[in-house]
């Protein structure tokens, strides 16, 4: 009799309605705040009661007749509906209702009267809504039950005020209207309460379902006959019961409203209406003040969601409601980029269809589906380009008869919002996601349809159907029609049979992996309709799930990513060992399958992953999210591979320039294993960041050598701006990643600072310029030598050198080691010397004809070799190695003396 | 200009520092005028390619050093374009068919036939045949090797083939029987030291014997690696004095870290840790077989005697699987789990054993 109803404040307005309860029962009902949806509270308390009064009420259900079905005073019918469909039954007034609000009902310190007043208003409206809800929810009570209601003696209940306690503990009473109600159930027995059931609840429910159905059969035959003659079976129910008006739309009201709002935003543009003040306030954020046509900012609307929720219907209904003529393009039409030009653009520009006065609204259905051939994205692209405004220059555009701007709304509908083909569309479209409406609404609608069609269906079966179909209204209706056509009653087992395989393919990778790693949840088991012994036979169920996904490799990746997180306390890791064994076997099979094209093996693949279930299943484990480590790793590998490729290209170029010198370094694994780590060390000597002019000779040698190597191997420092705006020098190709593991550079490689890199970079640039200049000089030189009638054979080589100087010659890098003895000198400064040596056997003279005794000691010292020549008394002269065509020629001292 | 590895690469057979017997044989073979197909095999960095180019020089003279490098495009049966880099002179051609991956057969067939069917036109050439050098012959696919068989016999008059491989085990027997096998062993430490000293002498600086010993010990018979290390060392600390720290390649250090992780702790959590390290290594394009080998060797160093054989056995076992399979990381991890459980079992066993003895 006493109900303590503690609201956590999350129950929406009407949910505060007097909780219907049986007078004799005392039940504590604590809402956890999730019972938000409007009409649901009717059902909720009954859920709470089920455990208490199940046994008793079952007895009632059996004892009592069909009368009880929509009788207000009884509990059973609600009970049958499993709380999802409250009949007009639960209007029972508690004698004493303790209503403890948590402070949301009025202010604490306010005068009591005002608090009271503020509370009376809702309570009255609650009463109103109560009636409404019962109207909405309830099936129109059929004649028989109405007639059955008559014999009951109406009872006028005394005014039982509702007592409410405010947060501060003040008690207040809310008066209630006197209501005429039917007699309360007398058979309820408080002594039966609290006991456990001796028959499992699901079995009881089955029984109820069966009895209810059988009773319906006995009752029904009068009505449906009439109706079935009225409605010929040549149309699909889906079409017959398609909503025609906005108010008839089923499902998420927010989606419908948002869509409507978007369409309404076009009103100004299409109908020339100024929007009312009220509207303007609502959609400020999408209002585009710059637009001269007053169109919304996003000119496309993209509705996405799983099939069967009524997206197409929604679009059509709203379009008609808003006063448009619908033009639909769906997957059955050819959809190429040309269609946009041929059909869509003319229609949109004309503004209305032929022979119609209404403006046109374009609906592109199934836009993510087959879009005709290989140019799937070109259609979308073209469509998006429609929405672009024409160029700013108005006059010019008009002169050239440019495209006119888009002045009519376009609604696109798709299933997969993230489909690849829609990538270009997404940024330009307002996206609305259509979600599955609450089951209760669907069940109610199905119920109505069943009533009209004269199909006997009990609510439990219908809600099962909705559960299996995952809210797919179309699927539900088709199933029901199918059942109807076989003249059967809608019972739960039948629904199970009829929906075998329905929606099974619609699982995601994460779902399957979760199923592998977690035991079957009660809910899912119920959804699948399998018992316990079936549950223990998991192999076929899981393998079917894996196969249904048709992507065993991502499942295996998921298993691999997750298995080590399970069974953390397995001492000798036996289950992990088995797990890896299975993975390895899986991999062997799949790689053999792909490499040898033996796709017969495919059907076995899923079984290799099933063992993860018995090995690693854990109850209460966290839900597994998709792991992208493997994918990330693959991406990283690819990018590193590209770096290797550019490095080896550079080396190959170098090798082309210098007689195939480096070519052995880049074959096979040498590149990754030996060359990459050591070249990194070679190019990072400990240099001090000082001006290149004042550098110490030893360091100078080091620097020169570094520059040489880097130039030869096509390695560069490139100046860049970092994110924080600082200038940095980046190695290009960035081979320093190969000594960077876990984000840390190898410890033994000195961090090269900006100044050092700057120094090196300038030196490299200088070297490159010198090389280029060399090439040019050389070509000049060869011309000169032509002029002097000397050695015309040098011409082609010189030309090649020019090409070399511009870098990146691989193909015709005719190499010159063989010609070394007769080649032209590389270094500009050494040129006069070289000419003379080349030309003459006579002792060399300088410009003035004097003999040259010690040639170029300055140049010699630059590479640090000249000094050594002086120290060691082995006289050997060596030309500086040039930048491109190295000339090294041993010359006897005697030539100079 | 160039790196030391290339700068001091011997150009003629006479300049070679070690394996004099081999050099002498090659010389006499080149002189005999009856040059056979050859297969050079030996560990990486032993000097196979150097010996091949020296032999070529002996055969054809200076002309072989006039190299041309270009790219050729082949079309695979599935209409994919394959780009192959070719190094050639007037007398020889050098290819690495493994660049084409699975389609190396196409490369072998087309290229070899093309070369084999044209005769040497240069009348001044010392030899009437051309030489084809096939690098990485051990990664040739079965099909490609089969394609080679008949070609080797049929076009003997126009062409000789020199194969270069790390091991002969993956070459089919018919190929091996058609070639003269030349084993180029890794140089001994002394030989390597002489080479290093030779380089130092050429560059006119002193190489402390300790440093050279260290380099040699670290490079494990790989001459190329030794020279790269040497140059890196010289660049990093130009005076080569004081305590030298020989740089190991980073991937190797990292592999050792992984091995230590395995030995330290055997839990599923550790498996995850090791996995992330493996991913890091793989993403640096280190071949998985090399990873497995390096890690296994390091693990073996650190475990009890009775476990060593088992660990190596399983490493071999999983490497075999890895080569057949596709997802390398699965097999790497399978091995890790295996080793961990093995290690754990023995540890427990030892523990139990000790306890019983104690009592």
């Amino acid at each position: 009799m006493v109900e303590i109803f503690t609201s956590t404040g999350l129950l929406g307005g009407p949910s505060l309605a007097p909780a219907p309860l049986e007078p004799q029962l005392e039940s504590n009902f604590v809402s956890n705040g999730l019972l938000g949806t409007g009409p649901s509270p009717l059902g909720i308390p009954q859920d709470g009661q089920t455990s208490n009064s199940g046994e008793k009420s079952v007895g009632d259900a059996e004892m009592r007749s069909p009368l009880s079905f929509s009788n207000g005073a009884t509990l059973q019918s609600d009970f049958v509906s499993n709380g999802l469909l409250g009949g007009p039954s639960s209007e029972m007034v508690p004698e004493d209702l303790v209503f403890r609000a948590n402070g949301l009902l009025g202010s604490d310190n306010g005068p009591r009267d005002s608090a009271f007043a503020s509370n009376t208003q809702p309570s009255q409206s609650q009463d109103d809504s109560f009636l409404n809800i019962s109207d909405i929810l309830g099936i129109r009570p059929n004649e028989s039950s109405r007639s059955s209601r008559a014999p009951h003696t109406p009872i006028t209940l005394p005014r039982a005020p509702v007592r409410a306690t405010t947060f501060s503990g003040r008690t207040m009473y809310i008066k209630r209207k006197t209501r005429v109600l039917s007699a309360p159930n007398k058979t309820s027995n408080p002594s039966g309460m609290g006991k456990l059931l001796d028959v499992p609840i699901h079995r009881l429910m089955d029984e109820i379902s069966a009895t209810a159905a059988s009773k319906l059969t006995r009752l029904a035959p009068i009505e449906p006959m009439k109706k079935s003659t009225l409605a010929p079976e040549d149309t699909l129910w889906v079409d017959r019961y398609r909503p025609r008006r906005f108010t008839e739309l089923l499902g998420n009201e927010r989606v419908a409203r948002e869509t409507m709002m978007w369409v309404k935003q076009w009103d100004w543009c299409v109908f020339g209406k100024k929007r009312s003040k009220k509207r303007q306030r609502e959609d400020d954020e999408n209002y585009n003040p710059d637009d001269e046509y007053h169109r919304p900012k996003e000119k496309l609307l993209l509705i996405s969601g799983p099939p069967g929720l009524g997206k197409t219907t929604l679009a059509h209904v709203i379009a008609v409601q808003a006063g448009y003529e619908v033009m639909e393009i769906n997957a059955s039409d050819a959809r190429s980029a040309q269609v946009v030009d041929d059909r869509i653009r003319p229609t949109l520009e004309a503004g209305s269809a032929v022979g119609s006065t209404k403006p046109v609204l374009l609906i592109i259905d199934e836009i993510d589906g087959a879009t005709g051939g290989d140019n799937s994205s070109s259609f979308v692209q073209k469509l998006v380009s429609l929405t672009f405004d024409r160029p700013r220059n108005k006059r010019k555009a008009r002169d050239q008869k440019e495209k006119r701007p888009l002045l009519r709304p376009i609604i696109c509908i798709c299933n997969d919002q993230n489909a690849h083909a829609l990538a270009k569309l997404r940024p330009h479209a307002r996206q609305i996601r259509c979600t599955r409406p609450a089951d209760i609404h669907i069940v109610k609608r199905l119920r109505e349809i069943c009533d009209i069609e004269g199909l006997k269906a009990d609510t439990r079966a219908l809600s099962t159907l909705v559960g299996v179909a995952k809210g797919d209204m179309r699927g539900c209706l088709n199933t029901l029609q199918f059942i109807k056509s076989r003249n059967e009653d809608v019972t739960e087992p039948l629904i199970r049979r009829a929906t075998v395989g329905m929606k099974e393919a619609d699982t995601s990778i994460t779902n399957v992996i979760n199923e592998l790693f977690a035991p079957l949840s009660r809910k899912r088991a119920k959804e699948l309709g399998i018992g316990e012994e079936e549950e223990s036979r998991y192999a076929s169920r899981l393998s079917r799930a894996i196969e249904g996904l048709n992507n065993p490799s991502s499942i295996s990746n998921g298993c691999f990513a997750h298995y080590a997180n399970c069974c953390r306390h397995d001492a000798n890791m036996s289950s992990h060992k088995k797990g890896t064994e299975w993975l390895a076997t899986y991999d062997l099979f799949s790689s053999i399958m792909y490499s040898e094209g033996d796709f017969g093996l495919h059907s076995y693949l899923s079984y290799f992953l099933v063992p993860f279930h018995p090995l690693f299943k854990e109850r209460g484990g966290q839900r597994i999210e998709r792991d992208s480590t493997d994918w990330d790793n693959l991406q990283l590998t690819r990018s590193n591979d590209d770096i290797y490729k550019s490095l080896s290209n550079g080396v190959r170029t170098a090798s082309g320039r210098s007689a195939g010198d480096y070519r052995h370094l880049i074959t096979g694994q040498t590149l990754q294993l030996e060359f990459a780590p050591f070249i990194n060390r070679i190019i990072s000597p400990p240099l001090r960041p000082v001006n290149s002019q004042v550098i110490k000779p030893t360091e100078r040698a080091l620097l020169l050598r570094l520059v040489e190597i880097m130039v030869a191997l096509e390695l560069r420092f490139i100046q860049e701006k970092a994110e924080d705006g600082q200038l940095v020098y980046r190695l290009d190709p960035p081979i320093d990643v190969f000594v960077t593991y876990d984000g840390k550079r190898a410890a033994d490689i000195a961090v090269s600072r900006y100044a050092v890199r700057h120094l090196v970079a300038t030196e490299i640039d200088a070297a490159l310029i010198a090389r280029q200049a060399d090439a040019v000089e050389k070509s000049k030189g060869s011309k000169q030598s032509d002029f002097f009638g000397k050695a015309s054979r040098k011409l082609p080589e010189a030309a090649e050198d020019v090409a070399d100087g511009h870098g990146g010659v691989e193909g015709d890098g005719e190499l010159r080691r063989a010609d070394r003895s007769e080649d032209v000198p590389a270094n500009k400064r050494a040129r006069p010397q070289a000419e003379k040596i080349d030309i003459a056997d006579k002792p060399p003279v300088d410009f003035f004809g004097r003999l040259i005794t010690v040639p170029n000691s300055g140049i010699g010292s630059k590479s640090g070799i000249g000094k050594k020549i002086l120290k060691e008394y082995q006289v050997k002269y060596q030309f500086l190695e040039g930048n491109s065509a190295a000339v090294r020629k041993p010359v006897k001292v005697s030539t100079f003396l | 200009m160039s790196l030391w590895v290339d700068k001091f690469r011997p150009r003629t057979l006479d300049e070679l520092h070690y394996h004099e017997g081999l050099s002498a044989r090659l010389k006499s073979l080149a002189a005999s005028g009856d040059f056979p197909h050859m297969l050079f095999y030996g560990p990486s960095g032993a000097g196979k390619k150097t010996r091949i180019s020296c032999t070529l020089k002996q055969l054809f003279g200076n002309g072989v050093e006039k190299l041309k490098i270009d790219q050729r495009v082949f079309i695979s049966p599935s209409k994919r374009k394959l780009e192959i880099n070719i190094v050639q002179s007037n007398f020889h051609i050098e290819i690495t068919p493994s660049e084409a991956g699975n389609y190396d057969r196409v490369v072998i067939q087309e290229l070899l036939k093309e070369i084999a069917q044209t005769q040497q036109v240069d009348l001044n050439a010392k030899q009437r045949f051309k030489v084809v050098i096939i690098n990485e012959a051990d990664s040739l696919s079965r099909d490609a090797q089969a394609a080679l068989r008949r070609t080797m016999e049929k076009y003997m008059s126009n062409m000789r083939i020199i194969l270069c491989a790390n091991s002969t085990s993956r070459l089919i027997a018919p190929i091996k029987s058609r070639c003269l096998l030349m084993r180029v062993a890794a140089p001994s430490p002394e030989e390597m030291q002489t080479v290093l000293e030779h380089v130092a002498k050429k560059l006119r600086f002193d190489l402390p014997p300790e440093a050279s010993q260290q380099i040699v010990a670290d490079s494990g018979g790989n001459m190329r690696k030794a020279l790269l290390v040497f140059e890196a060392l010289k660049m990093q600390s130009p005076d080569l004095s004081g305590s030298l720290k020989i740089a190991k390649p980073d991937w190797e250090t990292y592999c050792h870290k992984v091995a230590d992780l395995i030995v330290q702790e055997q839990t599923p959590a550790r498996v995850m840790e090791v996995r992330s390290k493996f991913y890091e290594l793989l993403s640096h394009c280190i071949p998985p077989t090399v990873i497995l080998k390096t890690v296994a060797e390091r693990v073996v160093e650190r475990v009890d005697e009775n476990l060593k054989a088992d660990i190596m056995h399983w490493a071999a076992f999983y490497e075999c699987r890895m080569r057949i399979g596709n997802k390398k990381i699965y097999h790497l991890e399978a091995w890790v789990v295996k080793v961990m459980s093995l290690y754990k079992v023995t540890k427990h066993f030892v523990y139990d054993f000790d306890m019983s003895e104690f009592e």
Side-chain angles (χ1 to χ4, degrees), chain A residues 252-270:
Chain A
N252 205 329
E253 202 178 309
R254 189 185 53 81
V255 172
R257 279 185 187 283
E258 257 180 59
T259 315
M260 192 54 153
M261 228 152 75
W262 181 82
V263 174
K264 281 282 174 200
Q265 279 165 3
W266 283 85
D267 278 2
W268 200 351
C269 164
V270 177

Side-chain angles (χ1 to χ4, degrees), chain A residues 556-557 560 563 571 587 630 640 652 655 661 667-668 674 686 705 739-740 742 746 810-811 815 868, chain B residues 6 49 67 69 85 136 204 222 224 231 236 250 254 275 279-280 283-284 326-327 330-331 333 344:
Chain A
S556 78
N557 275 344
F560 176 69
Y563 84 98
D587 180 43
D630 198 67
N640 282 346
R652 203 167 283 129
S655 141
D661 258 356
T667 53
E674 290 165 27
R705 172 114 188 99
V739 292
T740 313
D742 282 344
E810 259 180 88
L815 307 165
K868 282 188 175 147
Chain B
D6 279 306
K49 281 174 197 159
L67 288 172
I69 299 176
N85 293 297
E136 291 180 60
R204 291 163 218 289
N222 187 337
R224 176 178 46 231
E231 181 157 12
Q236 301 235 297
D250 307 87
Y254 204 75
R275 178 194 298 176
Y279 269 134
E280 182 81 13
S283 71
H284 281 73
N326 228 345
K327 296 285 291 182
Y330 289 3
H331 302 281
E333 185 154 310
K344 230 172 179 183

